[in-house]
Amino acid sequence: MSGDDRDHYHQRDLFFDDDLSYFSSIFSHRPSLDGHGLDPLLAPIMSSTNYGSFEQAFDLSSLPLPPLDVFGSCEGEKSVSDLVIDTTTGVANNVNGGSGVVGTPITPNSSVSWSSNEATGDNDSARCRKDELKPDEEVLQQSTKGDQHGGDGSKKLSKPRKKGEKRLREPRFAFMTVSEVDHLEDGYRWRKYGQKAVKDSPYPRSYYRCTTQKCLVKKRVERSFQDPKTVITTYEGQHTHNSPATIRGSSHMLAVPPTGSSSFLRYPLMYQQTSLNNSGQQRPMNPSFYLQNQSTSLQQLQLADYGLLQDIVPTFINNSLPK
DNA sequence: CGCGTTTGACCAGCGC
DNA sequence: GCGCTGGTCAAACGCG
Ligand SMILES: [Zn+2]
């Protein structure tokens, strides 16, 4: 198989949208403007240019740039941008509500597709497409599982949640990785807390949570129905700690400092540069920030070694950025 | 025994 | 209001 061939077909996979309800969630919204089946999603994905949300995803609080509103495809909709890293196509696409064009082809065979979805829950709760995506706007202060409720043993699940509170949805990043194993090693310890059947898909979706106490990072793993070789991993939240370095035999493991590290923040910047939309006046960055030169077979390895996007990104950046 | 997985039940949001 | 669906809980279980 030539890398080229894979490229094309992988891209397709990446944008199947309709088939994957999953994507609907990730890509917070589907363009209802167009009446095409595939085009709608494809277009936005392949052509997107907003990076504002990106920064938020990582750590807006410390990021210099304000969230863009460009991607607000829907009126009054919260800003949402999605990025997809395709480990196979080698193209990084930023998906958002609609505009712009960004594609960063790197190496023919290797690339990471990831998508980020962040929501800036502010005022309106208007939703672009209420299809399957959930409202990410509201924030739930859930400090803990809190049992402070009149909990009685009558029901198994007494809901401590209060009406007013809504669940906090953190930025999510989706990775598409070609792998035979569902659960990829990423350097962190995860505890599986659920598994659900995916609609219209024979493959289940697994829910994991970082085992580190204070860390609230979650991730979902599911195999693409369209392309069983592809595993879609969605991360939600940021680790508040270093990776436990549980990677055995993996010298590639990078010691990424916890959130807030300079290197960490560099990632978003990168994107800003790519997109002229913003105040992209930074330094020109190297387009090939993702996988540098790995063989196709190593793709998943890459992911496994680097694991989280957060980890991956900084690394690449560091490598490509002119220190 | 500690830790992680399995699994059915529960819950909340949304569409009809 | 009901039913569907995604997401979560937690008891039971398995394993080192
Ligand atoms: Zn963590």
Side-chain angles (χ1 to χ4, degrees), chain A residues 66-133:
Chain A
L68 292 185
D69 217 9
V70 189
F71 28 85
S73 58
C74 297
E75 74 275 66
E77 168 52 279
K78 56 249 175 139
S79 31
V80 174
S81 108
D82 302 308
L83 233 129
V84 178
I85 299 179
D86 186 353
T87 52
T88 54
T89 59
V91 177
N93 296 299
N94 187 346
V95 180
N96 53 46
S99 54
V101 175
V102 169
T104 324
I106 300 113
T107 52
N109 320 344
S110 50
S111 67
V112 185
S113 92
W114 65 289
S115 91
S116 78
N117 163 356
E118 76 63 33
T120 60
D122 268 354
N123 358 353
D124 51 350
S125 54
R127 213 176 279 97
C128 283
R129 196 79 156 114
K130 54 290 180 105
D131 231 62
E132 293 174 343
L133 42 125

Side-chain angles (χ1 to χ4, degrees), chain A residues 54-67:
Chain A
F54 215 89
E55 302 150 10
Q56 295 182 13
F58 285 84
D59 189 11
L60 268 194
S61 48
S62 8
L63 288 174
L65 297 191

Side-chain angles (χ1 to χ4, degrees), chain A residues 188 210 212 215 217 239-241:
Chain A
Y188 292 92
C210 185
T212 300
C215 189
V217 175
H239 289 281
T240 59
H241 55 95

Side-chain angles (χ1 to χ4, degrees), chain A residues 13 128 154 180 201 203 217 236 267 300 309 322:
Chain A
D13 270 7
C128 283
S154 52
E180 294 186 4
S201 172
Y203 307 101
V217 175
E236 182 174 333
Y267 186 44
Q300 52 217 57
L309 164 68

Side-chain angles (χ1 to χ4, degrees), chain A residues 265-267 269-274 279-286 317 320-323:
Chain A
L265 293 179
R266 272 198 240 171
Y267 186 44
L269 289 181
M270 197 164 87
Y271 273 76
Q272 297 173 17
Q273 300 165 7
T274 331
S279 52
Q281 54 213 337
Q282 320 278 329
R283 56 189 94 87
M285 54 172 266
N286 190 345
I317 296 176
S320 25
L321 277 186
K323 313 121 205 206

